[in-house]
């Protein structure tokens, strides 16, 4: 359905803000993006990034404005996990079916490309322009050097807050009556590290794997970049027996990496340098409601639902917000109040579901992926799913390789977990895991 062109402001030039700008330009709107930071295309990356894992929801959203193929050129497909367990050779776990993969992309490189594409579409970007206040009923924004400096006033028809977990737009909405808000920091932080390429530019680890070193309460992950390097992320408690607070010298860092990550010994000097150069960052789950104000203001992406990164769905969920918003525009046309109302009613439960799934996946990735019983359970699930694809889709595949609602993935995943608890109680399950008896019991528990 065609829309009357509007003057629209987007606060935040990150991935979600840039993609939303492209979608709205394609609808014929005049779009201005404000960002308090400098243009990311002109600065060095900050050293606090976790490489992104683009999956089905993200690709579908990019496809909606015809930029999927352009972005695939700066991404690397990962079709499996590579598990690095101490005293065990590296072993691989396929993600899904033969053609299923997540795609590793550098956040900085993707963000630069998205801004380029938005500018090509006719979006106007205003960098180094800090938004300090928003007049919600009138869709006015106020920018200036500081909170106490003179402010410039801008009048728009609509304002979208895409300015992240600590959104200035949401902060203004929080002052309204009956606005629900919560934030929950986990006691685990993260630090970005790097494994450089070989001298010939090739990768030192398998290029098409998502590498995990699970160590119980902490873990290291590594994702490949196009230049042959790996962006690594060390997730670890802020304090405690093994924690960031316990590593204060290069000697302590060396002992830590040698003890827990013996197969990255050759990279130890580089890892130690990054350990002390890059900041330790926190992770938060943020929930709020409502996400919109009248037909004037809406929150999209992390500003509405920040989640911890352990399902690789933060960006994908934000992109899916935009895809669903665009579908609702096609239904409701110029009725922005109806668009916004339907948008938040549909997306809020799904945002809560992926927040829960993301937290659970941290437990799974850090401790359970090295547990033989857990691995056997996953093996049984995969075997059964291959024999009965119409009856069992593993929750990871439902989240990552489909566009089914996150709420459905959470609910069905809980039902599957109950079934598998019964299956794992079967006597000698290690020997009979692929027997007719086990298959029949799963079918019975599924009521087939």
């Amino acid at each position: 359905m065609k829309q009357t062109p509007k003057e629209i402001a987007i606060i935040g030039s990150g991935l979600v803000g840039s993609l939303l700008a492209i979608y709205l330009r394609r609808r014929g709107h005049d779009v201005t993006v404000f960002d308090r930071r400098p243009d990311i295309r002109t600065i060095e990356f900050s050293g606090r990034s976790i490489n992104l894992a683009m999956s089905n929801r993200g690709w579908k959203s990019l496809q909606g404005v015809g930029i999927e193929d352009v972005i695939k050129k700066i991404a690397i497909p990962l079709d499996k996990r590579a598990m690095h367990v101490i005293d065990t050779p590296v072993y691989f776990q396929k993600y899904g079916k033969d053609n299923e993969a997540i795609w590793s992309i550098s956040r900085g490189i993707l963000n630069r490309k998205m801004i380029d594409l938005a500018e090509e579409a006719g979006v106007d970007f205003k960098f180094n322009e800090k938004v300090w206040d928003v007049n919600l009923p009138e869709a006015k924004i106020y920018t200036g050097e500081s909170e106490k400096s003179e402010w410039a006033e801008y009048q728009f028809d609509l304002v979208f807050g895409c300015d992240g977990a600590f959104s200035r737009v949401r902060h203004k909405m929080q002052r309204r009556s009956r606005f629900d808000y919560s934030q929950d920091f986990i006691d685990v932080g993260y630090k970005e590290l790097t494994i450089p390429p070989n001298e010939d530019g090739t990768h030192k680890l398998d290029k098409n794997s998502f590498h995990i070193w699970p160590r119980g309460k902490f873990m290291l992950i590594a994702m490949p970049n196009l230049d042959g390097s790996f962006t690594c992320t060390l997730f670890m408690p802020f304090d405690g027996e093994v924690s960031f607070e316990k590593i204060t010298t290069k000697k302590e860092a060396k002992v830590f990496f040698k003890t827990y990550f013996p197969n990255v010994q050759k990279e130890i000097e580089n890892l130690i340098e990054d350990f002390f150069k890059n900041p330790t960052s926190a992770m938060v789950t943020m929930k709020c409601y409502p996400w919109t104000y009248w037909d004037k203001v809406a929150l999209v992406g992390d500003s509405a639902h920040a989640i911890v990164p352990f399902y690789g769905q933060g960006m994908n969920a934000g992109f899916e917000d935009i895809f669903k918003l665009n579908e609702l525009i096609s239904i409701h046309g110029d009725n922005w109040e109806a668009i916004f109302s339907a948008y938040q009613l549909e997306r809020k439960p799904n945002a809560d579901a992926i927040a829960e799934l993301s937290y659970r996946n941290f437990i799974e990735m850090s401790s359970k992926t090295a547990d033989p019983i857990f691995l056997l359970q996953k093996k049984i699930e995969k075997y059964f799913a291959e024999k009965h694809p119409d009856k069992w889709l593993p929750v990871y595949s439902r989240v990552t390789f489909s566009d089914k609602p996150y709420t459905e993935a959470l609910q069905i995943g809980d039902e599957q977990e109950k079934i598998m608890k019964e299956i794992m109680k079967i006597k000698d399950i290690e020997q009979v895991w692929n027997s007719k008896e086990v298959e029949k019991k799963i079918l019975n528990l599924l009521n087939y």
Side-chain angles (χ1 to χ4, degrees), residues 125-138:
F125 282 84
K126 291 185 182 293
F127 296 103
N128 293 305
E129 190 143 5
K130 298 172 182 173
V131 174
W132 294 106
D133 198 10
V134 183
N135 180 325
L136 300 173
E138 296 181 40

Side-chain angles (χ1 to χ4, degrees), residues 267-302:
E267 311 308 323
I268 221 157
E269 292 306 320
N270 195 69
L271 293 170
I272 290 170
E273 186 185 331
D274 282 349
F275 188 93
F276 290 103
K277 181 180 76 176
N278 292 336
T280 303
S281 302
M283 289 173 284
V284 66
T285 298
M286 191 285 302
K287 298 179 181 179
C288 70
Y289 199 78
W291 292 4
T292 64
Y293 182 85
W294 297 355
D295 58 350
K296 294 294 183 184
V297 181
L299 303 172
V300 184
D302 281 357

Side-chain angles (χ1 to χ4, degrees), residues 2-222:
K2 199 163 169 58
Q3 284 191 305
T4 305
K6 300 278 189 186
E7 294 283 338
I8 298 178
I10 294 174
I11 317 303
S13 69
L15 302 172
V16 167
S18 301
L19 183 60
L20 179 60
I22 295 169
Y23 265 88
L24 292 171
R25 273 299 297 149
R26 297 285 171 89
R27 290 276 180 183
H29 301 293
D30 291 320
V31 182
T32 306
V33 178
F34 293 82
D35 203 302
R36 61 195 300 113
R37 302 164 301 177
D39 186 341
I40 194 174
R41 296 169 297 182
T42 65
I43 57 172
E44 291 252 346
F45 300 146
S46 67
R48 56 169 76 230
S49 176
I50 300 170
N51 260 34
L52 302 162
M54 186 84 75
S55 58
N56 278 39
R57 296 167 202 273
W59 289 123
K60 185 177 178 182
S61 305
L62 296 176
Q63 202 173 24
V65 280
I67 60 174
E68 177 191 21
D69 292 341
V70 177
I71 302 304
K72 276 197 169 163
K73 289 176 184 171
I74 56 171
I76 298 172
L78 314 180
D79 62 355
K80 59 193 174 300
R81 289 181 177 134
M83 305 303 300
H84 301 260
V85 179
I86 294 175
D87 297 330
T88 303
V90 178
Y91 61 92
F92 298 93
Q93 300 171 337
K94 281 288 231 185
Y95 272 124
K97 297 168 189 165
D98 285 342
N99 61 341
E100 289 179 335
I102 59 173
W103 293 67
S104 174
I105 310 183
S106 156
R107 180 183 292 275
I109 289 170
L110 176 59
N111 205 165
R112 287 173 169 177
K113 189 66 181 174
M114 296 288 287
I115 292 170
D116 283 343
L117 292 167
E119 280 189 339
E120 286 169 22
V123 174
D124 181 26
F125 282 84
K126 291 185 182 293
F127 296 103
N128 293 305
E129 190 143 5
K130 298 172 182 173
V131 174
W132 294 106
D133 198 10
V134 183
N135 180 325
L136 300 173
E138 296 181 40
K140 288 178 181 175
I141 67 169
Y142 300 88
T143 70
E145 274 300 305
S146 72
E147 252 180 315
K148 293 182 179 176
S149 68
E150 193 175 328
W151 290 349
E153 179 186 283
Y154 293 90
Q155 173 72 66
F156 291 95
D157 298 310
L158 297 156
V159 176
F160 286 92
C162 301
D163 46 343
F166 304 103
S167 165
R168 176 64 60 166
V169 181
R170 189 193 65 243
H171 181 68
K172 183 66 188 224
M173 291 171 71
Q174 281 171 231
R175 299 180 199 174
R176 310 295 302 181
S177 176
R178 298 175 65 209
F179 187 94
D180 291 326
Y181 169 77
S182 70
Q183 65 177 33
D184 181 32
F185 285 92
I186 60 173
D187 60 5
V188 172
Y190 72 91
K191 193 180 280 284
E192 181 188 317
L193 309 169
T194 307
I195 293 176
N198 291 314
E199 285 184 18
D200 63 357
T202 55
H203 292 81
K204 287 180 176 167
L205 303 167
D206 184 82
K207 174 186 173 180
N208 297 110
S209 294
F210 177 55
H211 294 265
I212 306 176
W213 290 258
R215 299 295 184 263
K217 291 185 178 176
F218 62 99
M219 68 174 171
L220 181 71
I221 64 168

